[in-house]
Amino acid sequence: QVQLVESGGGLVQPGESLRLSCAASPTTTSIYTMGWYRQAPGNQRELVATLTPRDNAVYADSVKGRFTITRNNAENTVYLQMNNLEPEDTAVYYCNTHPIFLPWGQGTQVTVSS
């Protein structure tokens, strides 16, 4: 059974940064396009960023210029560096393939509030 484990969330003030991690086991993610998704209360889950096996990244307009998706294939981990966070970024963040075909992990909560 493949597991995705997200971590790195927390409570921060507007303008601060967080780095999220997504570890996959036992499969490798290096051959897949990976994505970070988020779900705010009352909203549907939305795609935030994707990264192809050739490291081509695409971002939602709402995070472009502030978020960066990267991967470490040796550690089978995908990261999301989030800078200049805004209250609107508050959500539970998940990683998965894109398109989605792995079971969802538990996600990691990001709360941006002053």
Side-chain angles (χ1 to χ4, degrees):
Q1 177 85 11
V2 175
Q3 281 192 318
L4 296 169
V5 179
E6 300 91 349
S7 62
L11 171 63
V12 296
Q13 295 188 343
E16 294 186 337
S17 299
L18 282 173
R19 188 193 194 203
L20 306 184
S21 299
C22 169
S25 65
T27 190
T28 180
T29 58
S30 63
I31 61 174
Y32 302 120
T33 293
M34 295 298 296
W36 279 97
Y37 303 77
R38 67 185 181 187
Q39 187 168 19
N43 291 355
Q44 292 194 343
R45 197 168 298 183
E46 63 173 345
L47 180 63
V48 173
T50 59
L51 186 66
T52 70
R54 293 191 176 185
D55 286 342
N56 293 316
V58 177
Y59 300 94
D61 287 344
S62 58
V63 306
K64 203 172 294 183
R66 300 187 298 119
F67 290 12
T68 303
I69 184 172
T70 57
R71 70 203 307 162
N72 183 325
N73 291 331
E75 296 183 354
N76 211 23
T77 302
V78 180
Y79 302 98
L80 186 67
Q81 177 67 42
M82 306 187 297
N83 298 330
N84 194 22
L85 282 160
E86 303 170 353
E88 293 74 23
D89 297 318
T90 296
V92 180
Y93 284 72
Y94 304 86
C95 69
N96 210 312
T97 54
H98 180 69
I100 298 162
F101 64 82
L102 294 177
W104 290 102
Q106 84 288 348
T108 185
Q109 175 71 48
V110 172
T111 303
V112 185
S113 175
S114 55

